[in-house]
Amino acid sequence: MTATTEAPAATAPAPEIGRDRRRKEDQRLITGRTRWTDNITLPGMVHMAMVRSPFAHAEIARIETSAAASAPNVIGVFTGADFGDELGVCINAWPLTPEQVTPNHSPMPADRVSFAGEIVAVVVARTAAEARDAAELVDVEYVELPAALDLKEAAEDTVLAHPDAGTNKSALWVFDSAESGTGGNVEEAIEKARTDGIVIEREYRQQRLIPAFMEPRSVVVDPTGEQLTMWSATQIPHILRFALAATTGVPESKIRVIAPDVGGGFGGKLQATPEEWITWAVARRVNKPVKYTETRSESLLSAHHGRDQWQKLTLGATQDGTVTGFKVDLLADLGAYVAIVGGGVPVLGAFMFNAIYKFPAYRFSCQTVLTNKAWTDAYRGAGRPEATYAVERMMDELAAEVGVDPLEIREKNWIKHEEFPFTTVAGLTYDSGNYEAATAKAKEMFGYDALRAEQKKRRDAGDPVQLGIGISTFTEMCGLAPSRVLGSLDYGAGGWEHASVRMLATGKVEVVTGASPHGQGHETAFSQIVADRLGVPFEDVEILHGDTQVSHKGLDTYGSRSLTVGGEALVRAADKVIERAKPIAAHLLEANVDDVEFSAGTFSVKGTDQGKTIQDVALATFAAHDYPEGIEPNIDAESTYDPVNFSFPHGTHLCAMEVDTETGRTTMRKYVACDDVGTIINPLIVSGQVHGGLVQGIAQALWEEAVYDDSGTLVSGSFVDYLLPTAADTISFDIDHTTSPSTTNSLGTKGVGEAGTIASTPAVVNAIVDAVRHLGVSDITMPCTPERVWKAINTSSSTGGPTEGAAMPHFDADESGTSSTEGAGA
Ligand code: MCN
């Protein structure tokens, strides 16, 4: 069944890596002709609707379900009391300290609700509409309790979010470069700067945001049959299976979790949700498949939120603007519960406040705080946008103080390209980078000098519309993550990724990845990698993912990890296939294995024109008629790759904003992003990721904010009030790249999934402040609405922001559960 083919002609097929391939999955995703969770219908399936608390904090005195139970086609009405332990608990997989205060998180509490939107009862009915109608008939009597809403006040324990916890302070986590041996003493550096240098002190607000994915969350559970199957619009099918097994006692082997096509997540679907837990328990109780799909309003109200921090920053520098120390004190709002990785999100930023700079001393402390608002957790960038915002805003403040161009201050302090690899004051080793190259290219694309000249002209003329230039020379740590580093940070899981590559009899290639895409285009980019490695046509590679029965091992998609970790696992598995195929090819070619080499999909005998393609070997393996003695007929292979380091993409983003000083209206004039994400697999996908990321970061700067009123009601509970931008609200971005390949993975890639979001927020706010700095403005609270910009210009408040409580309370390392770390040590 095999034929000897001629060795390939000298011209190899065009390389796939670096090629602008349109995404193969888009055909089905864009037309909707695919399996979204809500499209799934099973025989006998029933539907569920939730009854949610309108109060932020209340005791549940009584729940009257009889009217709902007798509504048409209602199958059952359940409350937390109907289940008890059967419901399981929502897990926190990243306790920051051993002493962390972690309130018990029942998916459906029976006695007390802790945020507006929490589920108190569910109705199961024949159709979703009938379930929703009947849910209206559930009568809940609440006894309202005082709610802890303001972050600073909550940190003072004036009102308790969970009275039985005795405090709202969940965990205090500290990193000090003097203690970890990665740098000097920050207090001494700042004291010295107070005497003979410059000290800049600022307090910034990271407003609460809501990850607004395109597809609301949806879950179907089928309890019939041998296995329990859950379909969920999730980013983390593997972690979900583990969490279900760990909290319900059902063996993992009996649980199948499927993430079918998932319409976006942005971190918001990196969660084991009450909705999933309840659907699971209810399906088992009624012994029928149950579906629950949230409405958009429910999504905004109760899917986890992101950011929500106060940042108190102190930077010391010499008179010429060389930074000598940076001290960061955070208050981070966890909301009502410590979510799956919620407590750890600020700590992901802890290693990034020094960004691309050579700060000699650094101290970070973060107090996480419980409040009666929706719980917070990862949102695109998770900790790194907050850190980048703080440091990039502070570098602008320093430049203003010294009286030089903000780019000059950055250049003075950044790591020079010849200094890589560089171990930072936070203990991370950046493998590669070239800030000079990215900045030079961005400046040229931007027309930096011309825009500065125009800015001066407008300023001199007193133009009512002023021009500002904002800079963000960001870096971030992604490719989460080396398992040993995660272990040192008390994170509950590892950071490896798994892949298998199977050669099918027809010569097609079936690839299974443990990454779980939800909009990132893995099927295309991963096909390109495998096609190049095995020398097979791109079209012949099929990528399977997101089903724990198909992809039995994996750690899913978040932290811009899928390419650097999952892609490397693919490469290693493909290389193993080639190694396994080589002796078979040698046998078929009647050659010594040492004389056989592999190139562009063909095994050939050195010095001859005889060869066997990898497809020939696959077919020979399938038939196994003519196989070497003692070798099993199988050339498939798998690999589990644990990264040796994070990946550190960086870039220079430049933004020009026009500010109408009479109305406060801001208009984006130009945005340039020059990113370095190492080797690029698919430039088209990378551009898409950067575009989407930019808009999300710009939205934080200008529009988006989750706002609660004084009683704890989410007033930005629909897209009328939560200002999610559309394409029409943005301009056309100018993006390009420089390339300094990563030295820690064989492809040289760095992550891109969060880069745009991390970089863009400070670029925009820096531009707005730059436009009106000469009018006495040094800060504007985000989102920089026209009203806030106008107020900052026209009142004594330099921020234009709301007065949100007093100065930030200070928490000393000794006061409560302190943990310091030796640094991430990657
Ligand atoms: N890529 C590439 N070359 C590089 C880097 C990446 O071609 N040098 C490609 C990758 O092959 C992949 C994509 O770009 O197809 C993103 O890769 P990576 O940076 O590894 O990020 P992940 O795939 O792990 O995706 C996670 C990241 C995160 S953390 C969030 S949040 C986010 C994001 O991706 N959420 C998204 N992008 C999103 N895009 C969409 N459409 N929807 C979301 O919810």
Side-chain angles (χ1 to χ4, degrees), residues 264-267 380 518-522 525-526 557-563 677 679-682 685-686 689 749-754:
F266 308 114
R380 204 169 193 173
H518 43 281
Q520 292 87 353
H522 293 172
F526 287 8
T557 289
Y558 42 83
S560 302
R561 67 187 300 273
S562 304
L563 178 60
V677 296
T679 308
I680 292 179
I681 305 301
N682 183 323
I685 291 180
V686 165
Q689 288 293 313
T749 59
K750 303 175 183 181
V752 74
E754 295 155 292

Side-chain angles (χ1 to χ4, degrees), residues 70-107:
S70 53
N73 291 318
V74 167
I75 288 148
V77 184
F78 302 99
T79 66
D82 294 322
F83 283 100
D85 290 347
E86 255 178 90
L87 267 182
V89 286
C90 294
I91 57 163
N92 163 235
W94 194 350
L96 270 195
T97 62
E99 302 83 8
Q100 175 177 280
V101 173
T102 313
N104 180 52
H105 188 181
S106 166

